[in-house]
Amino acid sequence: KMKFIPSPNFAKGRNGKGITGIVLHMTESSSQSAINHFLNPASRVSAHYIVCEDGEIVQMVKDEDTAWHAGRVDRPSWKGLISGINPNLYTIGVETALLTTTSLPSWKQWMSLAKLVKDLSRKYSIPLDSFGIANHHEIFFPKTCPGWFASRFYVLQLQKLL
């Protein structure tokens, strides 16, 4: 199930760019704390989706708009990065609500995350590989986000169960 709670932190449209990737993040907080943070205009951050602890998905920015989740680039290793273009313009940001980088998602949360990524990849023809799916730290190296258990590796393994 999904609900929409609009964040004020986004840019209308995508500057003519198409969606070519999904960036996986983790909140390092509860889902409610992340929602509150994304609702605060002073935070100047957002993501398109948050996968909550119970598996519910909260959409905070429409896909056709630019969320502010991966705009800083530092020592990138993501194969889908387009040099010189802000990654926010061509990616969808998906947060998994986990308290720490070593927290384990619930089974419902894992399955919701995998299904969301699969649905988005089909909708936008995003490859389910290291070109289409990025871990946030592959764009901004100083981050540990998304942590091991919310990483591309696990999400792609879960695709086999769907």
Side-chain angles (χ1 to χ4, degrees):
K1 76 187 188 184
M2 189 180 308
K3 66 180 172 184
F4 184 64
I5 302 173
S7 171
N9 302 327
F10 73 97
K12 192 83 177 135
R14 289 181 170 272
N15 247 8
K17 304 289 182 260
I19 298 168
T20 61
I22 298 166
V23 181
L24 301 174
H25 301 270
M26 62 176 293
T27 62
E28 291 191 73
S29 70
S30 69
S31 55
Q32 190 57 59
S33 179
I35 290 165
N36 293 343
H37 191 58
F38 291 168
L39 289 173
N40 179 357
S43 75
R44 310 242 345 125
V45 294
S46 61
H48 292 89
Y49 299 93
I50 297 174
V51 182
C52 301
E53 296 86 349
D54 63 359
E56 179 179 48
I57 297 172
V58 174
Q59 185 171 11
M60 301 212 59
V61 176
K62 293 178 182 176
D63 291 357
E64 62 266 21
D65 292 326
T66 303
W68 301 336
H69 63 97
R72 294 184 298 170
V73 178
D74 181 358
R75 292 170 278 164
S77 60
W78 179 41
K79 294 176 182 177
L81 191 75
I82 301 170
S83 183
I85 299 175
N86 183 330
N88 288 335
L89 292 171
Y90 56 91
T91 62
I92 290 180
V94 177
E95 294 271 359
T96 301
L98 295 169
L99 295 179
T100 70
T101 58
T102 57
S103 297
L104 288 170
S106 70
W107 183 251
K108 284 183 180 180
Q109 196 174 22
W110 249 345
M111 295 311 292
S112 290
L113 174 61
K115 184 175 181 340
L116 175 62
V117 169
K118 186 175 188 175
D119 291 347
L120 290 169
S121 72
R122 284 183 175 159
K123 184 175 183 179
Y124 298 107
S125 300
I126 296 168
L128 288 171
D129 60 18
S130 58
F131 285 92
I133 313 299
N135 296 316
H136 187 201
H137 71 264
E138 293 175 310
I139 295 171
F140 189 71
F141 183 76
K143 284 281 201 182
T144 53
C145 175
W148 182 246
F149 293 104
S151 71
R152 178 180 59 242
F153 172 79
Y154 277 103
V155 170
L156 296 180
Q157 294 304 310
L158 287 169
Q159 300 298 322
K160 298 172 185 172
L161 298 174
L162 298 176

